[in-house]
Amino acid sequence: MKINESFVHVAMREYLRNSGWLLIAGEFPNGSDDELNVLSISDPSVAKDNSPDPRRHSNGEIVPDLVAYKDGCVLIIEAKPRYSIEDKMKLLDLLKNKKVRLVDSLKKFVSGKPQFYGIDFTKAKYIPVLAFGNLSFCPPCEDAGFGHLYVKSLSEAKLVFFEGVI
């Protein structure tokens, strides 16, 4: 089977679930998901009112492919069939420049959902993860602080944390 983004997404969910991670939010490619709700990290300068035109609020919105939690760590994951420098830059921007928006969005997202009680998103360690389907890829050394989730098949995946992550 050809490794496409949907394939990577299904495999990473299965791998993380089997490894004890709690899946918080996610969005399958093309926006179809019947398992998880989408975490929408909106831009407060755009989504600041209760306008009758909420579609405007998607300007500047960030939607991670998957968010997972375990032992005080939150994985923010972007998935592609191959390593994506664009996804790397998106995650760096999110965690460096928009982390307050991310944390606020997560707190609001889990409010009233008992399966997420006890998670302190303010104190959690946030780890950017790139998921892709190439086990032989050697990431650049600038990826220190990132996790990489390598997907070979639906039943074979490996999460590797690089220097200084955990």
Side-chain angles (χ1 to χ4, degrees):
M1 173 175 203
K2 182 179 179 202
I3 294 182
N4 59 27
E5 191 170 345
S6 295
F7 185 94
V8 172
H9 205 100
V10 169
M12 73 178 175
R13 282 189 187 199
E14 188 67 20
Y15 171 81
L16 290 170
R17 226 185 335 276
N18 290 340
S19 299
W21 290 87
L22 174 63
L23 304 184
I24 295 174
E27 181 176 44
F28 276 119
N30 303 320
S32 61
D33 199 327
D34 58 358
E35 177 188 10
L36 297 172
N37 292 318
V38 172
L39 174 66
S40 173
I41 306 164
S42 59
D43 182 346
S45 67
V46 175
K48 60 185 174 188
D49 60 14
N50 292 319
S51 75
D53 183 18
R55 290 185 328 170
R56 270 187 317 134
H57 294 184
S58 66
N59 292 338
E61 174 185 61
I62 301 164
V63 178
D65 289 335
L66 192 63
V67 178
Y69 175 84
K70 180 179 175 182
D71 300 332
C73 295
V74 176
L75 303 181
I76 307 296
I77 306 170
E78 287 295 321
K80 292 285 186 292
R82 291 179 175 37
Y83 180 90
S84 169
I85 200 80
E86 292 82 13
D87 279 353
K88 175 184 172 181
M89 301 313 291
K90 175 182 174 179
L91 290 171
L92 284 172
D93 180 55
L94 176 63
L95 293 174
K96 182 178 180 186
N97 302 317
K98 299 170 180 143
K99 188 172 179 183
V100 171
R101 284 172 46 189
L102 169 62
V103 173
D104 289 347
S105 295
L106 278 166
K107 287 178 183 176
K108 183 177 177 182
F109 180 82
V110 303
S111 178
K113 297 175 182 168
Q115 67 269 35
F116 304 121
Y117 286 167
I119 299 175
D120 187 342
F121 290 105
T122 305
K123 293 181 180 176
K125 179 174 185 154
Y126 289 83
I127 302 170
V129 175
L130 297 170
F132 50 94
N134 186 346
L135 285 170
S136 63
F137 177 78
C138 184
C141 60
E142 301 87 47
D143 278 9
F146 268 78
H148 291 137
L149 205 158
Y150 298 95
V151 173
K152 184 174 182 182
S153 68
L154 288 176
S155 60
E156 189 178 345
K158 178 172 74 170
L159 180 60
V160 176
F161 294 108
F162 287 87
E163 188 179 319
V165 176
I166 290 184

